Amino acid sequence: MSENTKQEIKKQLGIVIITANRADTVRVFLEKILEPSCKLGIDVIVFDSSLNEDTKQICEDFNKKGFRHIIYKRYNGSTDILSIDNKVIDAYELYCKSYEYLWLTRDGLAINLNNVYEGISEKLRQKFDLIILDELSRDYKKHGNKIYTDCQKLFLEQCHQMTILGSTILKSDHIQAMIKEVPLDKEKNYGIWQPMAYLTYFAKHKFKAASWVGMLWLPNEAASPSSFWHKRVFWQWGERWYKSISALPNVYDKYKPKIMKFKLVDCRPFSFEFLLKIRQAGSLDISTIKKYKEYLPYVCNTPLWKFYIIALTPIWLIKKFQYLVRNYKYFIKYPQKNKER
């Protein structure tokens, strides 16, 4: 069979859900994407490393109901508590020969597929190499619906967004070469391999990328909050972020200091508010600050003394403070209105 024939039999888009031990979350995700994915002929692959068979059973139940485009795949490769990089790379390698584009996503928010596909279908037909997605309400910098052929501009405007699993759709033609040219490296890109691999690869190769913003996500009522992210924030957005950005090709040097200050509209890892949450989760103490303090001046604008103050504040006091903030309107606003009356 010729290469042209192989290309012809590829499906246009495959969605891969990276998941583990969240069967109910996956079930709701699939329920919300079933109808549009079936109508559009898009396969939804559940790439699972759970410790039980619950997620597999959910997928089989959907298959029995006739939804054959729901595909279950057990991931048995290398795993650790800090990174899903190996799992992401394996998913890319497994499915890049079956689909023209791969969309790897998390399970916590369901995809609003009808709306997204309508918005990006022309971009898929035009064979863009990379499509960056964002929720309309989060695009406060107005970086949506742009075209990028300059890797520096892509880095400056989209690097932070590309760290979110589910925010990028990659043309499969690049995958094998990208994995070969940008292998997983404990120093250079571990923990944040996907966006760093994109940026390293496209610094050396011509590309045409597009950004799209719209109603991207649907709420997933079964998704449960986790303190896992809080526990690794200093490692992820302190040490790993600093080292990964530093290791990118020199073409990005002009903008590296700015990009190191990680900031999204709903994610500011070292803001005062988020540090309180980290402290409450038990993941901020003096030893943590000492371990990562060499990176903190580069990755945030929060002065070091604030880290120490929060680390020394008793957790019970932080909980009390956050309770008062959450109920501010009852303790302050409402009594004041009643007094005025």
Side-chain angles (χ1 to χ4, degrees):
M1 185 180 292
S2 68
E3 288 298 320
N4 289 337
T5 305
K6 290 180 181 178
Q7 183 70 21
E8 287 173 4
I9 63 173
K10 280 188 176 183
K11 291 188 176 182
Q12 186 184 58
L13 176 63
I15 297 172
V16 183
I17 306 170
I18 305 295
T19 188
N21 303 310
R22 287 162 65 88
D24 287 339
T25 305
V26 171
R27 175 182 52 77
V28 174
F29 186 114
L30 294 177
E31 287 173 349
K32 294 197 173 188
I33 204 173
L34 275 176
E35 184 179 337
S37 60
C38 185
K39 179 182 70 176
L40 296 167
I42 296 174
D43 290 341
V44 181
I45 302 153
V46 178
F47 204 53
D48 178 40
S49 53
S50 297
L51 298 176
N52 55 46
E53 299 294 307
D54 293 353
T55 301
K56 181 181 180 181
Q57 185 60 55
I58 287 169
C59 294
E60 290 178 350
D61 290 343
F62 281 121
N63 290 160
K64 290 175 182 177
K65 294 176 182 178
F67 297 106
R68 293 295 177 183
H69 64 293
I70 303 298
I71 300 167
Y72 178 85
K73 179 65 179 178
R74 165 71 67 173
Y75 171 71
N76 293 311
S78 175
T79 59
D80 62 53
I81 62 172
L82 293 173
S83 169
I84 60 169
D85 290 332
N86 284 301
K87 193 173 181 180
V88 165
I89 292 169
D90 274 20
Y92 273 136
E93 287 186 312
L94 272 172
Y95 295 107
C96 67
K97 294 179 181 179
S98 301
Y99 303 93
E100 292 180 17
Y101 288 89
L102 285 175
W103 183 359
L104 271 60
T105 187
R106 52 187 169 167
D107 56 20
L109 289 169
I111 296 170
N112 189 354
L113 189 55
N114 273 329
N115 191 47
V116 176
Y117 192 78
E118 181 180 351
I120 68 169
S121 57
E122 184 61 26
K123 294 176 173 58
L124 296 175
R125 286 193 292 270
Q126 292 178 7
K127 307 297 182 183
F128 277 87
D129 299 293
L130 177 68
I131 303 171
I132 306 104
L133 312 168
D134 197 4
E135 184 71 27
L136 179 62
S137 61
R138 300 173 71 254
D139 186 33
Y140 70 100
K141 292 184 178 180
K142 306 301 180 185
H143 290 162
N145 301 312
K146 290 188 176 182
I147 293 176
Y148 299 91
T149 56
D150 180 352
C151 65
Q152 289 181 318
K153 189 174 182 181
L154 179 71
F155 175 62
L156 179 63
E157 295 190 355
Q158 298 294 348
C159 179
H160 291 172
Q161 180 62 18
M162 289 194 296
T163 63
I164 301 171
L165 188 62
S167 69
T168 56
I169 298 174
L170 180 64
K171 191 177 182 183
S172 295
D173 290 352
H174 301 291
I175 290 173
Q176 295 289 2
M178 185 178 72
I179 292 172
K180 183 177 180 180
E181 291 184 26
V182 196
L184 186 60
D185 188 301
K186 286 285 185 179
E187 284 298 311
K188 293 182 178 180
N189 54 39
Y190 178 69
I192 322 175
W193 177 84
Q194 180 170 276
M196 298 304 119
Y198 290 169
L199 291 164
T200 303
Y201 179 78
F202 288 129
K204 301 176 183 178
H205 301 273
K206 289 183 179 180
F207 71 96
K208 190 175 180 181
S211 60
W212 175 88
V213 297
M215 304 300 290
L216 173 58
W217 303 113
L218 296 170
N220 187 331
E221 296 81 5
S224 56
S226 171
S227 62
F228 175 70
W229 200 84
H230 294 161
K231 292 177 181 178
R232 69 174 187 175
V233 67
F234 279 85
W235 177 84
Q236 180 91 45
W237 301 113
E239 178 185 347
R240 294 312 314 144
W241 186 247
Y242 173 82
K243 289 184 176 180
S244 296
I245 297 297
S246 299
L248 285 172
N250 294 338
V251 68
Y252 299 117
D253 284 354
K254 178 181 178 181
Y255 299 113
K256 285 179 181 179
K258 181 175 183 178
I259 296 303
M260 279 187 186
K261 311 280 188 180
F262 190 88
K263 180 181 177 182
L264 289 171
V265 67
D266 55 357
C267 179
R268 301 180 185 186
F270 299 113
S271 65
F272 180 79
E273 294 79 10
F274 197 77
L275 288 174
L276 291 176
K277 294 180 181 179
I278 299 171
R279 175 60 178 154
Q280 186 174 337
S283 301
L284 173 54
D285 52 30
I286 299 299
S287 63
T288 301
I289 298 172
K290 288 181 178 179
K291 182 177 180 180
Y292 294 104
K293 69 178 182 179
E294 65 179 293
Y295 307 109
L296 296 177
Y298 298 99
V299 299
C300 70
N301 293 319
T302 304
L304 204 58
W305 63 265
K306 286 190 178 181
F307 285 87
Y308 282 111
I309 287 178
I310 295 173
L312 292 170
T313 303
I315 293 176
W316 68 264
L317 185 58
I318 289 176
K319 290 181 178 179
K320 181 72 172 178
F321 171 75
Q322 291 180 326
Y323 174 79
L324 291 173
V325 169
R326 284 195 303 270
N327 294 276
Y328 169 77
K329 63 182 179 181
Y330 298 105
F331 289 101
I332 304 297
K333 291 184 177 180
Y334 286 178
Q336 185 175 350
K337 287 183 179 180
N338 291 332
K339 185 177 181 181
E340 290 174 354
R341 290 173 186 173

